[in-house]
Amino acid sequence: MQKFNDLKKDFPILFQQVNEEDLVYLDNAATTQKPKEVIETLNYYYEHDNANVHRGVHTLAERATKEYEAARENVRKFINASSIKEILFTRGTTTSLNWVAQSYGMNNLTAQDEILISYGEHHANLIPWQQVAKKTGAKLVYVALDENGLVDENDFKQKLSTKTKLVSLAHVSNVIGAINPIKKFTTLAHEVGAVMVVDAAQSAPHMTIDVKDLDCDFLAFSGHKMLGPTGIGVLYGKESFLEKMEPVEFGGEMIDFVYLDEATWKELPWKFEAGTPNIAGAIGLSKAIDYLKQVGMENIEQHEKELVNYVLPKLKEIPGLTIYGPKDPSLHTGVISFNLDDVHPHDVATALDMEGIAVRAGHHCAQPLMTYLNVPATCRASFYLYNTKEDCDRLVAGILATKEFFSHGTF
């Protein structure tokens, strides 16, 4: 654990006080903090290499293009894709999933088809499919969750049929951290000829992702949830699918030749990337990936499990605290959602903030899941590689102080 305790020094933002208390940042499922290496990389790009990519022949343009495309190759290796043609840079997971829905879903699904998703999806993996269903007539079918909050395998098998043409599931729940057996679901989906889409926003930062092993057809994730900048994300798609799909956005960069009445597109992956891309974001994401690889994805996953193993029993001992999701730490990442009896989650989060502890409160962009859990909202503490057992202790102490305050009016 000492190795991970030492990592905090790489994150300047963590060394500050909030409400006169040392900051404990536990909102990593929303966004993660950035190590000095990423911040310095962004600064260096803007100070030395800032130019547009793919267009210029001057030195700065060539340097920027080289770094941007090197970032694409780094992402390819990170998820073990077969080719850079399968790596598209987007604004984030939401954009990536929308591209799949608009380019593939709108053009390949009909009123005779079904789309399978679960009650546990983030809105970004739900609303795009709602729109596809409305415009194509396809039926949206929801799979139940089991007692741990995972996608229920038996219900999945019952809902899956030859009518199922597309399945889209979160690899990891952003609310309760439940890890779904995506590889198994992919195999089942392919057996009926369905396309498999994976929302990896909450898994790519926390565990090894191998798209060849998962065999999914599309996979989406965001840079800012894995130590990278905001505004940069990735859509992985099998080359055989992307080759047949039309771009969602049109303009500069993505064209081959433009005539007065028509145009032709560049080859993959550039035909999808219209306009000036987030060059600095891609370069920053690549540096974040370097940092994660240096620490080791297996080590990060194990560290989070150790933290959950440490803090869950302590949280369970707090009277009136309800914890949602898997009770077994091996079934989820470092995301823990909870509620304190008779205290609104926003009040709990505000009270914890007064103790310098940053957590999230609300529906977490997953209102159908809140309905499924029969709650309007939850508090969510989410851990990452720079969090420690001391942070866990601060969270427990903060909840106990909050409980005391709302019970007796004193901290």
Side-chain angles (χ1 to χ4, degrees):
M1 184 68 74
Q2 185 61 39
K3 175 183 177 182
F4 282 89
N5 285 346
D6 291 342
L7 293 182
K8 183 179 177 181
K9 70 180 186 301
D10 295 337
F11 297 82
I13 198 172
L14 299 178
F15 292 90
Q16 63 174 292
Q17 287 199 327
V18 172
N19 295 314
E20 300 181 348
E21 299 285 351
D22 290 341
L23 171 64
V24 173
Y25 185 79
L26 298 178
D27 194 20
N28 295 288
T31 198
T32 56
Q33 301 304 337
K34 323 306 173 194
K36 287 181 290 187
E37 294 175 29
V38 171
I39 297 169
E40 290 167 357
T41 294
L42 293 172
N43 287 338
Y44 186 91
Y45 167 76
Y46 282 122
E47 290 177 354
H48 297 274
D49 299 332
N50 183 40
N52 217 326
V53 294
H54 303 143
R55 299 174 184 175
V57 295
H58 59 81
T59 298
L60 266 62
E62 290 184 346
R63 288 205 304 245
T65 299
K66 181 180 179 181
E67 291 178 71
Y68 181 71
E69 291 303 332
R72 195 189 307 274
E73 169 62 13
N74 205 16
V75 171
R76 183 201 69 77
K77 290 188 291 186
F78 184 66
I79 63 172
N80 195 32
S82 296
S83 166
I84 62 164
K85 293 181 178 181
E86 299 181 326
I87 304 298
L88 312 183
F89 283 126
T90 70
R91 290 191 298 274
T93 304
T94 299
T95 300
S96 298
L97 293 170
N98 272 274
W99 280 13
V100 180
Q102 293 173 36
S103 182
Y104 182 85
M106 293 292 189
N107 295 297
N108 289 277
L109 300 180
T110 70
Q112 285 71 49
D113 300 330
E114 293 182 350
I115 304 166
L116 221 59
I117 63 174
S118 84
Y119 287 103
E121 302 308 314
H122 188 283
H123 293 164
N125 196 34
L126 190 162
I127 298 172
W129 305 117
Q130 286 181 344
Q131 297 302 306
V132 170
K134 287 180 180 180
K135 294 182 179 180
T136 65
K139 182 181 179 182
L140 200 57
V141 178
Y142 285 86
V143 180
L145 307 178
D146 66 17
E147 66 277 5
N148 287 307
L150 282 75
V151 175
D152 189 283
E153 186 177 339
N154 291 328
D155 195 52
F156 182 89
K157 290 177 180 177
Q158 290 180 1
K159 301 283 177 62
L160 191 69
S161 73
T162 54
K163 291 183 179 180
T164 308
K165 297 304 179 199
L166 187 141
V167 177
S168 193
L169 297 173
H171 194 175
V172 172
S173 167
N174 72 300
V175 178
I176 55 178
I179 304 172
N180 288 309
I182 286 296
K183 184 176 180 180
K184 181 182 295 185
F185 289 137
T186 299
T187 299
L188 292 170
H190 285 168
E191 286 176 357
V192 300
V195 170
M196 186 69 188
V197 183
V198 179
D199 172 0
Q202 297 293 337
S203 59
H206 303 279
M207 61 188 67
T208 300
I209 298 293
D210 185 333
V211 293
K212 290 178 184 175
D213 182 59
L214 293 176
D215 197 29
C216 54
D217 302 300
F218 299 96
L219 182 138
F221 59 96
S222 298
H224 72 99
K225 295 182 188 292
M226 49 191 291
L227 309 183
T230 55
I232 188 71
V234 173
L235 172 60
Y236 158 82
K238 286 181 178 175
E239 186 176 347
S240 58
F241 284 92
L242 295 177
E243 283 286 4
K244 298 174 183 177
M245 290 163 54
E246 286 293 300
V248 175
E249 298 176 332
F250 304 89
E253 285 281 352
M254 50 78 65
I255 55 92
D256 180 26
F257 198 87
V258 178
Y259 305 90
L260 290 180
D261 298 313
E262 61 180 284
T264 57
W265 319 138
K266 278 185 180 178
E267 63 179 334
L268 287 174
W270 303 286
K271 78 171 185 178
F272 285 95
E273 296 177 10
T276 298
N278 185 352
I279 305 164
I283 295 169
L285 171 58
S286 182
K287 181 57 68 171
I289 287 173
D290 289 342
Y291 187 96
L292 292 172
K293 290 193 295 187
Q294 183 177 356
V295 177
M297 297 308 296
E298 299 86 356
N299 296 329
I300 293 169
E301 185 175 5
Q302 180 59 35
H303 174 65
E304 290 182 16
K305 290 190 185 304
E306 289 178 10
L307 292 180
V308 174
N309 268 317
Y310 178 78
V311 76
L312 260 183
K314 296 177 181 292
L315 293 174
K316 290 177 183 177
E317 292 176 359
I318 300 176
L321 191 76
T322 301
I323 301 172
Y324 304 95
K327 304 299 185 288
D328 182 353
S330 69
L331 296 177
H332 67 85
T333 59
V335 175
I336 301 173
S337 277
F338 59 90
N339 276 330
L340 196 57
D341 284 356
D342 302 321
V343 185
H344 194 281
H346 289 167
D347 293 330
V348 174
T350 300
L352 289 173
D353 185 58
M354 294 302 296
E355 298 287 305
I357 304 164
V359 300
R360 182 71 86 185
H363 55 63
H364 314 297
C365 295
Q367 287 179 303
L369 178 55
M370 294 296 105
T371 301
Y372 198 87
L373 295 173
N374 197 32
V375 294
T378 69
C379 284
R380 182 186 68 190
S382 46
F383 298 85
Y384 204 24
L385 54 87
Y386 40 67
N387 291 122
T388 64
K389 288 183 178 179
E390 288 73 23
D391 294 340
C392 295
D393 292 336
R394 286 277 304 278
L395 173 64
V396 172
I399 294 174
L400 288 170
T402 300
K403 178 180 171 63
E404 177 66 21
F405 174 79
F406 282 99
S407 297
H408 302 105
T410 58
F411 269 102

